Amino acid sequence: EAQVTQNPRYLITVTGKKLTVTCSQNMNHEYMSWYRQDPGLGLRQIYYSMNVEVTDKGDVPEGYKVSRKEKRNFPLILESPSPNQTSLYFCASSPLGLAGQVDETQYFGPGTRLLVL
Amino acid sequence: GQQVMQIPQYQHVQEGEDFTTYCNSSTTLSNIQWYKQRPGGHPVFLIQLVKSGEVKKQKRLTFQFGEAKKNSSLHITATQTTDVGTYFCAGLKTSYDKVIFGPGTSLSVIP
């Protein structure tokens, strides 16, 4: 079954304790992206990757890191989490169009709900 | 920076009434996508519009892309309780790599 998986689904942590949220897709998609969702703000892009070893900042990258060493995996790293990073996080993947652009549907993972105390 | 706005933020309708949400971008878009997120779920792709003035239909849902490719709308005819959720538009600028989501319109349907 074609899918995007995220782990963990729920996480409670304390300020400053490094954490990683994993994301994996089995559709051989080039494009992967991380979003955070907060009430009234919709989905804001944190980082995205056009392919292996190619990553770029989205609109709210501060406090986050990513890596793309393999095509299927795109982990999100919070080196020193803070309470303002409490949010619902979604990973998404998408194939690239014929001209290398993101013009296909994005498939979203189930989400990771993070609480930073 | 590029912004995508949506109105209204919330909409409560009686079952059977129509519903429309509007999406506006501060800049010209290459394409626009619409997603639906059910309560507690993740966004699910509905449709993509690419051409200026394009209109697409999916059963009771009608999607439009403005002539200037800066605005779009989603219209639901005769809403049903299964339509409950938040509808997001997502705009792609001609740079082809960043997707900007609107804040969403949350639809409640009263049986």
Side-chain angles (χ1 to χ4, degrees), chain B residues 6 13 20 33 52 58 71 78 83 88 96-97 99 107:
Chain B
Q6 271 185 264
V13 300
T20 304
Q33 298 175 341
S52 168
Q58 288 180 350
N71 55 67
D83 296 325
F88 293 97
Y96 295 139
D97 53 5
V99 180
L107 172 64

Side-chain angles (χ1 to χ4, degrees), chain A residues 6-11 19 21 33-46 60 64 76 78 82-92 108-116, chain B residues 37-43 86 88:
Chain A
Q6 292 178 232
N7 281 293
R9 294 289 314 278
Y10 304 92
L11 180 60
L19 67 92
V21 184
S33 181
W34 275 103
Y35 297 90
R36 61 177 289 173
Q37 185 173 29
D38 302 289
L41 297 176
L43 290 147
R44 293 180 293 167
Q45 194 172 45
I46 302 170
V60 288
Y64 304 95
L76 179 69
L78 284 72
S82 62
N84 64 13
Q85 293 178 298
T86 292
S87 188
L88 176 58
Y89 291 88
F90 287 103
C91 178
F108 282 81
T112 295
R113 195 167 288 279
L114 172 65
L115 172 62
V116 183
Chain B
Q37 184 178 22
R38 288 204 161 97
H42 59 274
T86 301
F88 293 97

Side-chain angles (χ1 to χ4, degrees), chain A residues 3-115:
Chain A
Q3 60 182 348
V4 178
T5 56
Q6 292 178 232
N7 281 293
R9 294 289 314 278
Y10 304 92
L11 180 60
I12 301 175
T13 190
V14 295
T15 298
K17 186 176 180 183
K18 180 180 178 179
L19 67 92
T20 299
V21 184
T22 64
C23 173
S24 183
Q25 50 95 4
N26 62 0
M27 296 169 279
N28 201 37
H29 287 166
E30 295 89 355
Y31 187 89
M32 295 187 76
S33 181
W34 275 103
Y35 297 90
R36 61 177 289 173
Q37 185 173 29
D38 302 289
L41 297 176
L43 290 147
R44 293 180 293 167
Q45 194 172 45
I46 302 170
Y47 269 95
Y48 63 95
S49 169
M50 300 290 278
N51 216 321
V52 175
E53 301 292 0
V54 180
T55 62
D56 250 312
K57 295 178 181 179
D59 292 316
V60 288
E62 295 77 21
Y64 304 95
K65 285 175 60 176
V66 293
S67 69
R68 188 94 183 270
K69 296 184 176 137
E70 304 165 281
K71 198 171 187 179
R72 64 183 292 128
N73 296 323
F74 191 44
L76 179 69
I77 303 153
L78 284 72
E79 294 271 4
S80 182
S82 62
N84 64 13
Q85 293 178 298
T86 292
S87 188
L88 176 58
Y89 291 88
F90 287 103
C91 178
S93 75
S94 171
L96 292 179
L98 292 174
Q101 70 272 32
V102 183
D103 66 353
E104 303 287 335
T105 180
Q106 289 194 76
Y107 296 84
F108 282 81
T112 295
R113 195 167 288 279
L114 172 65
L115 172 62

Side-chain angles (χ1 to χ4, degrees), chain B residues 15-76:
Chain B
E15 188 172 19
E17 290 182 341
D18 292 355
F19 159 77
T20 304
T21 173
Y22 300 90
C23 179
N24 292 287
S25 169
S26 56
T27 57
T28 301
L29 300 170
S30 170
N31 63 18
I32 197 158
Q33 298 175 341
W34 285 91
Y35 291 80
K36 176 184 178 181
Q37 184 178 22
R38 288 204 161 97
H42 59 274
V44 175
F45 176 81
L46 293 176
I47 208 159
Q48 175 169 268
L49 304 171
V50 179
K51 298 176 185 174
S52 168
E54 189 171 14
V55 178
K56 286 188 177 180
K57 291 191 175 184
Q58 288 180 350
K59 298 181 181 177
R60 295 178 294 104
L61 278 61
T62 302
F63 304 84
Q64 288 189 312
F65 201 8
E67 294 289 341
K69 300 186 78 173
K70 294 176 76 171
N71 55 67
S72 180
S73 66
L74 158 59
H75 179 82
I76 302 178

